[in-house]
Amino acid sequence: MFKLKTFIMLTVMLATVFSYSAFSAVVKGTIIEESSDEGLRNVTILIKELNLRANSDSKGNFTFKNVKSGEYTIEIYGNGVERISSKMTVKDGDNDFDFKVNYKLVQLSDMEVYSSSRRLQKITEAPSAISIITSDQLQKATSHGQIGKTMEHLPGVDVVQSGMNDFNINTRGFNNSINRRTLVLIDGRDPSTPMLNLVEWNSLQTNLSDIKSIEVVRGPGSALYGMNAYNGVINITTNSPKDVQGTMINVGGGEYNTFRTNIRHAGSFLDNFYYKVTAGYSTQDQAWVKSRDTANGGRLEYDGLKPDLVDNPYASRKGFGAITNIDTLINNHKNAFNMQSTFRLDYELSDNEVITGEIGVSEYGNEYFVNQTGRILIPQIQSPYVRFAYNSNHWSLNTHWRKRYAPVPQVVMNYPVSSGENSDAILADLQWNDNYFNNKLKVITGASFEYQSIITAAGGSEALLSPDSINHNFSSVYGQLEYDLLKNLQIVFAGRIDASSLFETQFSPKAALVWTPVTDHTLRFTVNRSFLRPSYPEYSRLSLAAANVNFQIIDTMIANEFGIDPLGLGSLRQLNVGNPEIGVETAWSYEIGYKGVVNERMFITTDVYFNQRSNFISNPLGGLTPNVFLPIRYENDQANLRLKEELNKLDSALFDRFSTHPTSGEAGFFIAPANIGLVNEYGAEIGINYYVLDNLLLTGNYAYLGFEVIENEAKTNKILPNTSPHRINLGAEFNSKVASLPFNIRLNVRGSQEFKWIAGLFEGTVPEYWVVNLSGDINLTKDLNFGFNVFNLLDRRHYQIFGGTILQRYATANLTYEF
C-alpha cells in the first residue's frame, strides 16, 4: 500500500514539474511602505487571472516562478495596507515589480479566512461566526508567550485559566476543566492528547512568535471537521519558510523568575527548497500553587475545595519516593519548564503547489492542571510529531503522526490515583476542491482516516484502562457545495459521515444562506448538527475510587436476620469504571449572524444562536446505568431495605453503586458515566471595532449565554454551562505604524459575571471578576523591538475555574531581533 501511494505521489510531482517547465517567466519584487521606505511582511500579492497568491517575506520580497508571459492584473492587499490594483506585462525571463503602499485602517473586508469552508474566502462572506488574530496582533503578544491568552478578548470565546499555564478554551457554553469540545488544528495537525482528547496549551510544539494567524470558528463545525468540532474550531497557521527568510531571536523574562527564549532561522537552497528551524525554552516558578494539605499546615484558598491527600495507601505514585508533605511535593516540582523544536522543509513544485515535510518535539513538566477529579501534577510529558503535506489549487493532502508519553506518573493530588500515558495517533486527510459555472458553484470533498493506540501503564504508573492496550480507528468522508443563487445570495450545503470502531456511525449535516444586500454587509442563517465522542476513560476506565468494603460482615448479618441465603461476597472494591455502552453527545444549532463595515471606521459582527444539546456525558456516578451495571440485590425486599441502611452508614451512595461489572462479571461498588439530559442553550454575541483616529482603535464585545434544562435523568448530576452568562471585553490600541511613530500600546479590560461551576468532584461558584491587561512595544532600531505585557495590572486576585489557582499579576518583557 505504501509503495502504491509513493508511486502515485511521484507521478503527480513529475507531471507537475513537466507541465510547468514550458513557462519561463519569473515575477518578483518588493512591497515597500511609502513613508518609511521599508519592506513590509505578510502582504498578499495576487495575480488575478492566474489565481496565484504569494505573501511578502520579512523584508517585503515576493516571487512567482514559472509564469506564462502575458498581460495580468496584480492586486496588493492585507496586513493593514491600502489595497491597490495594477496592470503588468510579463515577459520571458525575470520581471521586477516593486510596489509602494500606505498603511490604512485594517478593513474587515480585506481579511480572508480559511476555516469556515476549508477554503480561502472573505471574512464577510464566511457562512459561520468567525474571528481572526492577524500576524501583526500576534507579534505584539510574544512577550508573554502564551497562545491561549491571545484569544481571551475575542467575542464569544471563553478562555479560562486555572494555573500559570493551564487554559481551557471553549466557544459559547459548556466549558469544562478538561474541555475537549473545540477542535484545535496547527497547520492541519491535531495536537490533542489521544487518551483524553483535549489540548494541553503549554505543550504545543509551536512557539507564539512563529504563528502567522489564529482563526476561531464559533459554533459547531462537525459537518466539515468531524467529532471534535462540537462547539467550534481553532485553526492555527504557522509561518511558511518562504515567508520568513532570515533569523529571529527572542529573549524575555519577568515576574516569578520567568525566562523565555525562542529562535527561528529560515533559508532556501537549490532554488525551490525552503527550510525553517525553530527552537524554544521557557521556565518559571509555580508561585501561585499552594498546598491544600490541611492535615499538614496547608489551607484551602476558598470554600468548597477538596483537601490534598498525602499518605494515601491506594495511590500509585511510583517514582516520587515517600510523600510525607504536599509542600515538599510542590517544592520539588515548582519550576515549570517547556522545550520545543521543529524542522520544516518545503519543496515548491510551482507557485501553487508545495510539498511539506516537518518534524517537531516538545517536552514540558512541573505543571499543575485541574481536571474533574482534582488538581493533577504533570511532572514530565514528551510529545513528538511528524507531518507530511501536499497542497495545490485543487488538492490537499495532510498526514501526521503524534505521540504523548509520560515517563513519570501524573499525580492526582486529592484522589487515590495516578496515571500514565503512552499514546500514538496517525491521521491522513485528503481534500479536493474546484469551482464551476464562472465560480458560481464551489465544490469541496474529502476523506480522512485516523488510527489511535493507547497504553496507560506507562512510566511506572498502573493501568487506568481495562483492557489497557487499546486500538481504535476513525474514518470519514465529507463535502460541501456553495452555489450563488443570485449575485448577492449564496446557499451552502455540507455534510460529513464519521464511522469508528468506538461509536456508532454519525452524520453531521449543515445548511446556510448568506445574503449580501450591499457590499461588505452580510446576513446569514445557519443550521447544523455536531457530536462529541467520549474519551477512552469514559469507555473503559478501571481505577480505584476508595477503600475496599468488607461486605461479608454485612452479608452474614442480613442473611441471619431474614433467614435467607447470603450473597456469598467478601471484600469488594470501589471502582471508577468506564461505560462500554456510552454514546456520543449531540447538538443541533441554529444561528443568525451579521458582519459588516458600517463605514470606513466601524466594523460590527453580531450573532444570535440556539443550540439543543442532548446525551451529555455525565460524571461517574452509581445507578445511572442499571441496564449495563446490573444491581446486586437480595430476593427479599425487606432485606434490601436493611442492606441500604447498612451501606448508608458507610456512604449514602454505596447502595446505588452495588452492581456487577458488565465485562468482567466482578461484583463491587461502581461509579460510571452515562448519557443524560436535554438542554436548550441560547445566546448572543456582538463585537465592534471603531477607529476614532487612523492610529487609535477602540474595541468592544459582549457575550450573553442562557440555558434551560429540559430533561435530566440523573438528579445527582447537575447540568451547568460552566460559563458566565454575561462577559464583556473593552480595549484601546494606539497603532504607531499609521502615525509613523516607533511604538504601540494596548489596554484591555475583561469582565465576567459570577457563575456556577461543576465538573466532577468540583462544584461551587466563580465570583465576578474584572481584569485589566496592558501591553506595548517599541522599535529600538529597524531590527530590534522591545515589548512588554502585564496581565491583571491591578493585581485583582481571582480564580476563573472552581478548583483552580488564585490568579495574580504577571508582568513580562522581551527583546526581538530579526536579521
Side-chain angles (χ1 to χ4, degrees):
M1 186 67 179
F2 176 77
K3 291 182 178 179
L4 177 60
K5 289 182 178 178
T6 304
F7 174 75
I8 293 172
M9 203 65 214
L10 289 173
T11 302
V12 171
M13 292 168 57
L14 290 172
T16 305
V17 170
F18 287 127
S19 66
Y20 277 87
S21 62
F23 303 152
S24 57
V26 175
V27 177
K28 59 183 179 178
T30 306
I31 307 300
I32 301 168
E33 202 279 308
E34 190 162 20
S35 62
S36 64
D37 212 31
E38 294 180 359
L40 293 177
R41 71 168 72 207
N42 288 327
V43 176
T44 300
I45 302 95
L46 170 67
I47 301 179
K48 199 168 183 181
E49 290 80 1
L50 301 177
N51 195 29
L52 293 177
R53 279 182 174 83
N55 291 320
S56 57
D57 63 19
S58 57
K59 301 185 185 307
N61 299 321
F62 67 91
T63 303
F64 294 97
K65 300 172 182 176
N66 300 313
V67 178
K68 186 178 180 180
S69 59
E71 297 285 334
Y72 299 107
T73 303
I74 192 165
E75 292 190 352
I76 314 294
Y77 61 93
N79 198 31
V81 300
E82 185 177 7
R83 190 180 190 113
I84 61 174
S85 179
S86 177
K87 294 289 185 181
M88 67 177 184
T89 301
V90 175
K91 301 178 182 179
D92 289 345
D94 290 348
N95 296 261
D96 293 312
F97 299 95
D98 291 343
F99 297 91
K100 290 195 172 184
V101 296
N102 294 310
Y103 275 109
K104 59 169 269 183
L105 305 181
V106 181
Q107 295 224 9
L108 190 68
S109 57
D110 287 337
M111 295 183 183
E112 291 183 324
V113 293
Y114 173 87
S115 306
S116 285
S117 301
R118 296 185 77 141
R119 69 172 182 85
L120 277 178
Q121 62 189 149
K122 292 174 66 174
I123 192 172
T124 53
E125 298 172 355
S128 64
I130 186 169
S131 300
I132 182 171
I133 306 174
T134 65
S135 58
D136 268 4
Q137 293 168 321
L138 290 165
Q139 266 189 298
K140 300 164 186 174
T142 54
S143 172
H144 60 75
Q146 296 173 311
I147 297 175
K149 278 285 188 185
T150 64
M151 291 175 269
E152 64 182 4
H153 298 296
L154 297 178
V157 179
D158 188 25
V159 179
V160 291
Q161 187 174 355
S162 64
M164 296 194 80
N165 299 300
D166 182 24
F167 296 90
N168 291 281
I169 302 178
N170 188 44
T171 63
R172 297 177 175 168
F174 293 90
N175 206 339
N176 201 295
S177 53
I178 50 171
N179 181 60
R180 60 180 190 271
R181 290 184 167 97
T182 301
L183 173 68
V184 177
L185 296 173
I186 303 176
D187 296 325
R189 175 176 59 86
D190 182 354
S192 65
T193 65
M195 184 175 77
L196 293 177
N197 205 28
L198 59 86
V199 174
E200 298 169 294
W201 285 98
N202 61 324
S203 72
L204 302 184
Q205 299 91 342
T206 300
N207 62 63
L208 185 55
S209 58
D210 191 44
I211 295 177
K212 181 179 179 180
S213 67
I214 300 176
E215 298 177 11
V216 182
V217 178
R218 308 188 304 278
S222 291
L224 286 177
Y225 292 96
M227 57 190 176
N228 293 343
Y230 183 63
N231 276 359
V233 178
I234 298 173
N235 192 15
I236 299 172
T237 303
T238 64
N239 290 301
S240 71
K242 184 177 180 180
D243 293 341
V244 288
Q245 296 284 287
T247 302
M248 182 275 298
I249 299 174
N250 181 284
V251 179
E255 291 183 288
Y256 311 110
N257 294 321
T258 296
F259 173 76
R260 183 176 292 110
T261 183
N262 298 292
I263 185 170
R264 180 189 68 213
H265 175 71
S268 63
F269 61 94
L270 297 180
D271 195 38
N272 288 332
F273 286 89
Y274 299 88
Y275 66 90
K276 180 181 69 175
V277 181
T278 70
Y281 173 78
S282 66
T283 183
Q284 64 191 168
D285 289 347
Q286 293 279 18
W288 300 351
V289 178
K290 307 295 182 184
S291 170
R292 294 175 184 171
D293 177 14
T294 54
N296 292 280
R299 68 180 185 87
L300 305 181
E301 296 101 302
Y302 43 92
D303 293 338
L305 295 177
K306 304 293 182 182
D308 294 332
L309 300 177
V310 181
D311 186 16
N312 194 316
Y314 313 105
S316 172
R317 292 173 174 173
K318 299 177 182 178
F320 291 93
I323 301 173
T324 59
N325 190 287
I326 289 293
D327 273 331
T328 302
L329 180 69
I330 292 174
N331 287 333
N332 290 342
H333 299 86
K334 69 177 182 178
N335 296 116
F337 65 90
N338 178 284
M339 298 176 285
Q340 78 253 311
S341 61
T342 66
F343 173 75
R344 173 173 167 176
L345 180 65
D346 287 2
Y347 173 60
E348 284 197 350
L349 295 169
S350 70
D351 291 318
N352 272 352
E353 289 187 283
V354 180
I355 293 176
T356 296
E358 184 177 30
I359 59 174
V361 64
S362 72
E363 181 171 324
Y364 82 95
N366 294 341
E367 292 285 6
Y368 296 82
F369 295 169
V370 175
N371 66 9
Q372 292 183 336
T373 305
R375 289 194 304 177
I376 182 169
L377 165 62
I378 312 290
Q380 185 182 12
I381 295 293
Q382 298 167 353
S383 300
Y385 76 91
V386 177
R387 182 173 74 95
F388 173 82
Y390 166 79
N391 289 284
S392 69
N393 274 345
H394 299 295
W395 289 96
S396 174
L397 172 65
N398 206 317
T399 66
H400 72 265
W401 163 80
R402 69 185 189 277
K403 185 181 187 68
R404 185 183 192 267
Y405 176 61
V408 181
Q410 304 162 124
V411 177
V412 178
M413 297 173 68
N414 66 336
Y415 208 63
V417 292
S418 65
S419 65
E421 183 175 353
N422 184 4
S423 60
D424 295 87
I426 301 172
L427 182 142
D429 185 285
L430 178 65
Q431 178 183 306
W432 169 83
N433 74 88
D434 209 340
N435 63 81
Y436 303 93
F437 310 120
N438 294 322
N439 208 34
K440 290 183 66 176
L441 175 66
K442 303 173 185 68
V443 181
I444 294 173
T445 186
S448 70
F449 178 82
E450 182 172 9
Y451 171 83
Q452 294 184 351
S453 172
I454 312 293
I455 298 174
T456 60
S461 179
E462 294 182 356
L464 183 68
L465 307 178
S466 179
D468 186 45
S469 181
I470 296 178
N471 305 293
H472 284 284
N473 59 72
F474 310 84
S475 56
S476 67
V477 292
Y478 59 88
Q480 177 168 287
L481 298 175
E482 303 172 59
Y483 184 70
D484 296 338
L485 296 173
L486 301 171
K487 188 176 181 180
N488 63 346
L489 181 63
Q490 182 186 66
I491 190 169
V492 180
F493 292 107
R496 179 172 173 131
I497 298 173
D498 285 273
S500 174
S501 56
L502 199 61
F503 53 79
E504 294 183 355
T505 299
Q506 301 290 314
F507 175 57
S508 305
K510 173 181 177 178
L513 275 175
V514 182
W515 179 44
T516 308
V518 294
T519 303
D520 293 335
H521 293 262
T522 58
L523 291 167
R524 66 173 177 85
F525 171 74
T526 307
V527 57
N528 54 52
R529 179 187 183 271
S530 62
F531 75 99
L532 172 72
R533 76 161 177 88
S535 67
Y536 286 103
E538 289 163 338
Y539 278 108
S540 55
R541 180 172 183 151
L542 182 64
S543 64
L544 290 170
N548 288 6
V549 174
N550 188 351
F551 185 74
Q552 185 176 8
I553 297 174
I554 299 174
D555 189 27
T556 302
M557 179 187 67
I558 293 176
N560 292 336
E561 181 178 341
F562 292 94
I564 59 177
D565 291 334
L567 295 174
L569 301 174
S571 179
L572 301 180
R573 294 194 294 176
Q574 296 191 63
L575 296 174
N576 186 344
V577 297
N579 179 354
E581 296 189 16
I582 199 166
V584 301
E585 289 188 14
T586 59
W588 279 95
S589 177
Y590 308 86
E591 300 182 33
I592 298 175
Y594 163 79
K595 304 186 191 82
V597 182
V598 175
N599 55 50
E600 209 176 51
R601 294 185 176 274
M602 181 177 290
F603 319 128
I604 297 178
T605 62
T606 304
D607 298 280
V608 179
Y609 61 89
F610 172 83
N611 299 329
Q612 188 165 77
R613 302 178 182 269
S614 58
N615 292 330
F616 282 88
I617 298 170
S618 74
N619 297 319
L621 296 170
L624 292 184
T625 54
N627 59 323
V628 181
F629 293 84
L630 299 179
I632 299 176
R633 300 291 184 262
Y634 294 103
E635 294 183 0
N636 186 302
D637 291 340
Q638 294 301 314
N640 288 326
L641 290 176
R642 189 80 169 94
L643 173 63
K644 186 173 184 179
E645 289 178 7
E646 291 301 317
L647 292 177
N648 283 347
K649 294 177 183 178
L650 302 176
D651 187 328
S652 60
L654 284 181
F655 183 75
D656 289 335
R657 299 175 181 178
F658 191 26
S659 57
T660 302
H661 193 278
T663 303
S664 66
E666 177 183 357
F669 299 94
F670 301 105
I671 56 174
N675 294 111
I676 62 170
L678 176 66
V679 175
N680 289 339
E681 174 193 16
Y682 42 89
E685 301 156 355
I686 182 169
I688 300 175
N689 288 6
Y690 177 59
Y691 280 92
V692 180
L693 303 170
D694 287 354
N695 57 357
L696 180 60
L697 170 65
L698 300 182
T699 62
N701 62 70
Y702 165 77
Y704 165 74
L705 177 77
F707 76 104
E708 179 184 8
V709 178
I710 306 300
E711 298 175 7
N712 182 10
E713 302 89 340
K715 301 303 180 184
T716 55
N717 191 120
K718 297 178 183 178
I719 299 177
L720 294 173
N722 292 342
T723 307
S724 172
H726 301 281
R727 288 165 288 150
I728 189 169
N729 289 295
L730 301 172
E733 177 179 347
F734 177 80
N735 187 345
S736 69
K737 288 183 177 179
V738 179
S740 299
L741 297 173
F743 70 92
N744 303 279
I745 192 163
R746 296 160 295 281
L747 181 72
N748 294 98
V749 179
R750 183 181 179 213
S752 173
Q753 189 184 52
E754 176 184 299
F755 64 99
K756 297 288 186 180
W757 181 280
I758 183 169
L761 298 178
F762 286 117
E763 179 180 353
T765 299
V766 178
E768 178 177 321
Y769 60 86
W770 289 86
V771 179
V772 178
N773 301 324
L774 178 68
S775 62
D777 65 278
I778 182 169
N779 294 322
L780 301 177
T781 68
K782 179 183 176 182
D783 302 314
L784 183 64
N785 179 272
F786 170 81
F788 71 91
N789 276 273
V790 184
F791 289 121
N792 196 5
L793 177 67
L794 304 180
D795 200 19
R796 296 174 64 94
R797 304 196 173 192
H798 65 289
Y799 54 93
Q800 299 176 1
I801 291 178
F802 191 82
T805 300
I806 298 290
L807 306 181
Q808 305 175 32
R809 180 177 55 228
Y810 184 30
T812 57
N814 75 319
L815 284 170
T816 303
Y817 180 55
E818 295 188 64
F819 56 97

